[in-house]
Amino acid sequence: MLSALEILAVIGVVLLVPLLYRLWNFIWLYFLRPSTAHKYLHAAPTYALITGASDGIGKALAKELYDQGFNLILHGRNEQKIRKVVEEVRRNGARDVLYFLADASDVNHDFERMMAPYMNLNITLVVHNVGNQGFTKERIDGFSNADVAGIVNRNAIFPLHLTHTLLPRLRLSAKTGPVLVQFMGSLASEISPPRFAIYGASKSFLKALARGLDTDEQVWTPTGVHFEYLVTGQVQSNSMRLTASLGTPTSETYAKAIVARMGCGWRKYCPFWVHAVQLWFSEVMGEGMQDKYAAGAIPELIALHEKKA
Ligand SMILES: NC(=O)c1ccc[n+]([C@@H]2O[C@H](COP(=O)([O-])OP(=O)(O)OC[C@H]3O[C@@H](n4cnc5c(N)ncnc54)[C@H](OP(=O)(O)O)[C@@H]3O)[C@@H](O)[C@H]2O)c1
């Protein structure tokens, strides 16, 4: 018969083991694990396709992946802006940098035609980075139907159609090595803050899509195409005009974190360690505290961006 003290000790150990396991995973992922981005560089020339690459995280990621040895296919909506990025990137090497234009808020594109020039290229990495909502005090009924559709389209439906079109190409590329598709997620999908419900819901769509497609490509006949959902906290960028700090890395720092963690074996994770700590705290807080915190923080963010607009 165990004494009360022994029962408490057993309960303590049982509670401690998952925490220690999580701590070990944290240390391994962010501080010990070597980058394995090079495993997507097979059967050269190898291409990475990045959407929303004319600014912020997408632009920084384009530069980072080019430096790692990838050829690039960049997406933007403003030809002048994306051409400038192409020129900047090309200064660092002689590899290919291609681009295509599409307004992601509109999904009435002929995706097959849009991707046709790239279907013979060895694409091994796709980063669905395009997305945002914009800072406004409006509730959902303050948006027009077109605005609502635009938010959902550029955050969720555009990446869905692009993936649908690219998948046969990605399976071909996976015949010579692993292929990865990343969806840029947000902490907003974990806490769904006020005034960002449509954005948070669109990112949750990507989370479910990444999980479902990842298992789909592994069941019955594994194809070697993997999917990841990146939980992103605040990052200094064109749409997030904050001063960089420990919790708000620059887009360049964040791009390095994405490349360092890609293909780490987790399907949903934070590429940046401080965001992982923030996610853990928000889970411990529970919904009530999260909602209270967000209700205080979001008006400040909106006010700040209105001032900078
Ligand atoms: N920054 C953050 O704090 C943060 C936090 C969580 C998640 N994220 C996610 O990270 C991703 C990148 O965000 P970011 O902060 O780097 O934003 P950003 O600096 O504003 O860059 C967004 C990129 O997407 C493009 N884009 C926006 N709307 C588009 C449209 N309708 N059609 C085509 N292209 C469009 C922009 O093109 P233009 O250059 O023409 O504007 C730009 O290239 C997004 O998915 C965002 O939701 C960011």
Side-chain angles (χ1 to χ4, degrees):
M1 195 64 180
L2 292 177
S3 68
L5 202 64
E6 284 166 334
I7 291 171
L8 279 177
V10 170
I11 292 172
V13 169
V14 167
L15 293 177
L16 207 61
V17 167
L19 275 180
L20 288 175
Y21 180 67
R22 198 164 172 177
L23 181 65
W24 164 246
N25 279 337
F26 176 81
I27 294 169
W28 165 250
L29 181 61
Y30 297 105
F31 303 109
L32 299 177
R33 182 188 171 274
S35 167
T36 52
H38 59 271
K39 72 181 177 185
Y40 301 106
L41 285 167
H42 52 84
T46 312
Y47 285 78
L49 186 152
I50 309 164
T51 67
S54 55
D55 219 325
I57 300 168
K59 177 179 165 183
L61 196 56
K63 289 183 174 173
E64 192 61 31
L65 288 171
Y66 193 72
D67 291 347
Q68 298 278 331
F70 287 87
N71 295 274
L72 300 175
I73 304 165
L74 306 181
H75 157 256
R77 58 178 161 178
N78 175 326
E79 182 148 29
Q80 241 185 334
K81 219 173 153 180
I82 195 76
R83 279 180 78 105
K84 233 174 121 191
V85 176
V86 170
E87 280 161 25
E88 267 179 56
V89 174
R90 274 205 190 122
R91 267 179 228 141
N92 295 344
R95 281 182 299 284
D96 241 1
V97 188
L98 312 171
Y99 72 88
F100 67 99
L101 300 170
D103 180 356
S105 300
D106 175 5
V107 288
N108 291 315
H109 302 291
D110 183 341
F111 284 87
E112 308 283 330
R113 208 165 137 194
M114 193 193 288
M115 287 298 103
Y118 314 112
M119 294 302 267
N120 286 326
L121 301 178
N122 180 33
I123 303 172
T124 61
L125 178 64
V126 178
V127 187
H128 291 291
N129 167 72
V130 71
N132 62 28
Q133 171 169 320
F135 292 93
T136 167
K137 287 193 199 102
E138 294 294 346
R139 287 193 165 89
I140 189 169
D141 51 327
F143 289 103
S144 67
N145 284 333
D147 288 341
V148 171
I151 297 168
V152 177
N153 285 344
R154 64 181 173 269
N155 286 290
I157 311 300
F158 185 82
L160 169 68
H161 284 304
L162 215 51
T163 304
H164 175 259
T165 305
L166 284 170
L167 204 44
R169 169 64 252 174
L170 300 179
R171 290 192 191 119
L172 274 181
S173 299
K175 290 195 186 298
T176 55
V179 168
L180 181 65
V181 180
Q182 297 187 310
F183 292 106
M184 191 65 74
S186 171
L187 271 175
S189 75
E190 309 300 313
I191 59 173
S192 220
R195 303 301 193 266
F196 284 89
I198 314 171
Y199 174 72
S202 304
K203 295 294 190 186
S204 292
F205 175 92
L206 295 181
K207 185 165 40 181
L209 193 66
R211 181 174 177 176
L213 292 181
D214 194 60
T215 49
D216 227 16
E217 294 301 305
Q218 312 319 319
V219 171
W220 295 318
T221 318
T223 63
V225 181
H226 287 274
F227 292 81
E228 291 180 350
Y229 173 82
L230 309 180
V231 186
T232 303
Q234 284 181 353
V235 176
Q236 186 192 48
S237 71
N238 189 37
S239 56
M240 187 61 88
R241 298 184 180 182
L242 297 176
T243 308
S245 63
L246 182 67
T248 308
T250 61
S251 289
E252 289 71 26
T253 302
Y254 192 63
K256 281 187 195 305
I258 292 174
V259 173
R261 315 272 116 73
M262 59 176 43
C264 63
W266 274 276
R267 197 159 42 200
K268 174 196 148 188
Y269 62 92
C270 297
F272 186 61
W273 72 273
V274 184
H275 294 164
V277 175
Q278 290 168 342
L279 178 63
W280 183 77
F281 265 113
S282 77
E283 285 168 7
V284 171
M285 268 189 206
E287 263 187 34
M289 290 281 280
Q290 285 171 11
D291 292 351
K292 232 183 231 167
Y293 171 78
I298 292 294
E300 280 175 30
L301 264 182
I302 292 173
L304 191 106
H305 281 82
E306 278 177 347
K307 226 192 291 170
K308 291 194 175 177

